[in-house]
Amino acid sequence: MFELKTNAEKYSSDIADEIRLFTAFESDISVELSVSDFLRCRVEFDGEVREYSQKAPEGDELTVKRLTKRFLKLSVYSALSSRYGDLPWGSLTGVRPTKLAYEWLKRNEGSGLQKYLTETFFVSEKKARTLSEIISAQSPYIRDLENSVNLYVHVPFCDGRCSYCSFPSADINKNAALIDDYVSCLCTEIRSVKEIIAAEGRDILSIYVGGGTPSALSEEHIAKILRAIDVGGREFTFEAGRADSITKSKLRVIKEGGANRICINPQTLNDATLAAIGRRHTAEQFYKAYDEAQNAGFIINTDIIAGLTGETFDDFRRTADGIYALHPHNVTVHTLSRKRGSELQEQQLHCADIEKMSEYAYDAFTKTYRPYYLYRQKNMLGNLENIGFSLAGYECVNNITVMEELVPVYACGAGSISKKITNGVITRHASPKDVRLYIEEFGERFRRKSEFFRG
Ligand code: SF4
């Protein structure tokens, strides 16, 4: 906890976000801004005073605001890092590093990105290099996508809830009586959305059935949803996150239904941790499910998490090594974060070895894989990041285009969020998270959603 006093009221939440990067800082801090021909910032904390200045920015109101905010954040970062040390992503908060990189490359015709990141935002050399690698891995996929959309289908049910989870998901057992109706509404919505996409003359670039744990549904329900989707010849991912939800016959239904990619996510291969975080499966069940998915011919993604509560560096290393030995097509290495709506929300997360874990994973996976997408969230351990690694040629187009907000998302199901992009401006439409409400108000809500798509 800290107390912030500032005269730069309209930037106070940005300044507070910057201070929060320094988790060890718990004190009073004053940040004063004065504006003339120069911007001046005076930062005072724990009896220390630091002063920074630069020429006042010029341009339209938005530009001046953006650059003044940046100056304040850099001032606070410089002051606090002089006491607590530099951070891997420097002063960056609230912005996707790749977005910043693409904006820079557009303005500067592809040169000097790493220098820009390290010198302007104090991003570490290693993270700046990672970002460059990602930009280069994404380049074959950043093409003319004017007419493309992604179709997303949400299945908001899981068997229990993982401690770190913030996704819209309800207990499948407690909601058993609603599943039939939910699947019926969902299928109607999928068919109607496909009609809208076809009427607009757009092309579906990729399909993603996520959740929740879609594979927690029965074979009949899964088959019904896949029949409603029925779009062949595209990248088509089906999330079968938890190994305890996977059977050979479900995998067959999923494959026959058109999916060519599957996510099986152990998060850790340590049984004690799996039990502690509320995942109702063991490492052995994960290995079995993985084997069956591989035999069924899927492209496989696995997710693991660094910094899970109670895990040591050796626990994490064993997980990373175990996954590496399996040689999945894609691996996403997450850093534990304290998300709103999760059990961890109120807890103070700590993991002394988080940077070591992250570096280990990066060095281990880049022996064979290359990083191809990256995103950061608030309240991540060590202010680190989530990185997707892929074998060359197996990059998940959905992950790239969703993360980089390159194409509209036509989303179906309770708790799903559709996105439209008009002249670079993104607008969103959210469906109700509550499954009962989604079913009860389906007709009227879908009418409004259709207007959103068509508007
Ligand atoms: S399986 Fe996934 S969606 Fe379900 S509770 Fe766990 S993290 Fe959340």
Side-chain angles (χ1 to χ4, degrees):
M1 290 291 287
F2 57 86
E3 192 165 325
L4 167 66
K5 281 198 192 122
T6 180
N7 63 346
E9 270 305 318
K10 65 178 165 188
Y11 304 102
S12 61
S13 68
D14 302 293
I15 296 171
D17 282 346
E18 197 68 33
I19 297 167
R20 271 187 215 104
L21 291 179
F22 296 87
T23 46
F25 180 75
E26 292 190 347
S27 189
D28 294 348
I29 181 165
S30 144
V31 178
E32 275 180 36
L33 171 71
S34 60
V35 184
S36 58
D37 289 350
F38 279 80
L39 296 179
R40 294 182 208 282
C41 180
R42 182 180 192 276
V43 183
E44 184 173 356
F45 63 102
D46 290 346
E48 278 186 42
V49 175
R50 311 258 164 173
E51 292 184 317
Y52 304 90
S53 66
Q54 70 167 48
K55 204 167 170 311
E58 290 171 358
D60 59 30
E61 200 183 326
L62 265 181
T63 307
V64 169
K65 194 174 169 201
R66 181 170 57 82
L67 294 174
T68 305
K69 180 170 87 177
R70 179 186 294 179
F71 166 70
L72 281 166
K73 287 174 66 176
L74 285 168
S75 300
V76 169
Y77 178 83
S78 301
L80 292 180
S81 63
S82 67
R83 164 83 67 88
Y84 297 99
D86 276 318
L87 300 171
W89 287 99
S91 67
L92 293 184
T93 64
V95 60
R96 270 185 296 116
T98 45
K99 184 174 182 213
L100 200 67
Y102 278 118
E103 283 172 1
W104 165 263
L105 292 171
K106 206 168 156 189
R107 285 196 309 270
N108 296 278
E109 295 174 356
S111 66
L113 174 64
Q114 291 188 41
K115 194 162 178 265
Y116 169 65
L117 294 166
T118 52
E119 291 184 2
T120 312
F121 301 101
F122 308 115
V123 172
S124 74
E125 298 272 350
K126 189 161 184 181
K127 297 298 177 197
R129 212 166 38 246
T130 302
L131 212 48
S132 285
E133 287 165 356
I134 287 170
I135 300 290
S136 132
Q138 291 185 346
S139 64
Y141 302 97
I142 309 284
R143 53 190 168 83
D144 181 14
L145 297 166
E146 185 86 13
N147 217 25
S148 302
V149 304
N150 284 329
L151 177 64
Y152 177 74
V153 175
H154 193 70
V155 179
F157 302 108
C158 288
D159 185 3
R161 190 154 177 91
C162 307
S163 59
Y164 54 85
C165 180
S166 64
F167 297 117
S169 168
D171 189 300
I172 193 160
N173 303 309
K174 291 185 191 148
N175 289 279
L178 296 175
I179 309 269
D180 258 343
D181 287 346
Y182 181 76
V183 171
S184 292
C185 289
L186 182 63
C187 290
T188 305
E189 185 173 15
I190 294 166
R191 290 198 171 91
S192 308
V193 164
K194 275 169 49 189
E195 280 170 17
I196 295 173
I197 295 170
E200 288 174 345
R202 290 178 177 251
D203 185 39
I204 296 177
L205 178 69
S206 73
I207 303 140
Y208 197 102
V209 181
T213 308
S215 49
L217 293 175
S218 68
E219 285 167 36
E220 292 69 30
H221 286 137
I222 293 172
K224 201 171 168 188
I225 293 170
L226 295 175
R227 276 198 301 278
I229 295 174
D230 188 28
V231 185
R234 313 288 199 286
E235 177 186 285
F236 186 166
T237 306
F238 193 95
E239 256 189 39
R242 296 229 307 228
D244 50 332
S245 68
I246 300 171
T247 63
K248 246 188 207 171
S249 48
K250 280 189 194 176
L251 288 170
R252 198 181 53 245
V253 169
I254 296 166
K255 196 83 190 8
E256 286 171 3
N260 39 39
R261 289 181 174 250
I262 200 160
C263 301
I264 308 179
N265 304 325
Q267 314 301 7
T268 170
L269 294 176
N270 181 338
D271 283 344
T273 311
L274 284 168
I277 61 176
R279 289 181 77 85
R280 298 179 181 173
H281 64 83
T282 59
E284 194 181 326
Q285 279 175 294
F286 161 74
Y287 279 117
K288 184 167 173 284
Y290 185 95
D291 210 34
E292 285 167 355
Q294 197 170 35
N295 290 337
F298 285 102
I299 294 172
I300 305 179
N301 175 74
T302 61
D303 285 4
I304 59 174
I305 302 177
L308 284 168
T309 310
E311 288 222 322
T312 62
F313 172 73
D314 282 340
D315 292 326
F316 178 73
R317 185 178 46 74
R318 275 190 289 273
T319 294
D321 291 351
I323 295 299
Y324 184 80
L326 287 174
H327 209 57
H329 304 82
N330 290 187
V331 182
T332 306
V333 181
H334 293 262
T335 303
L336 187 67
S337 67
R338 192 163 42 86
K339 295 182 198 148
R340 240 190 305 166
S342 75
E343 260 180 50
L344 299 181
Q345 183 179 354
E346 302 301 331
Q347 293 179 24
Q348 206 53 47
L349 300 183
H350 179 70
C351 175
D353 285 331
I354 192 64
E355 276 198 48
K356 199 170 152 196
M357 291 176 181
S358 164
E359 296 223 340
Y360 183 83
Y362 184 87
D363 293 342
F365 286 110
T366 49
K367 282 184 201 137
T368 310
Y369 296 77
R370 61 179 183 172
Y372 80 103
Y373 77 97
L374 174 152
Y375 64 103
R376 299 175 68 218
Q377 292 160 305
K378 271 192 176 178
N379 304 320
M380 298 186 97
L381 279 171
N383 296 305
L384 288 163
E385 72 282 308
N386 303 320
I387 300 186
F389 297 90
S390 178
L391 296 176
Y394 287 98
E395 290 81 4
C396 175
V397 170
N398 187 277
N399 284 339
I400 295 174
T401 51
V402 168
M403 287 306 158
E404 302 309 329
E405 301 184 315
L406 296 173
V407 299
V409 179
Y410 283 56
C412 306
S416 67
I417 298 176
S418 298
K419 278 189 205 171
K420 262 191 349 188
I421 307 174
T422 315
N423 300 326
V425 178
I426 295 174
T427 43
R428 294 176 170 79
H429 180 98
S431 293
K433 288 184 185 170
D434 184 272
V435 173
R436 192 179 291 279
L437 192 64
Y438 172 81
I439 296 167
E440 286 173 1
E441 299 186 357
F442 181 73
E444 173 54 21
R445 297 245 183 195
F446 187 70
R447 192 188 58 71
R448 277 190 255 155
K449 192 178 203 169
S450 310
E451 281 170 11
F452 166 77
F453 288 135
R454 292 186 170 118

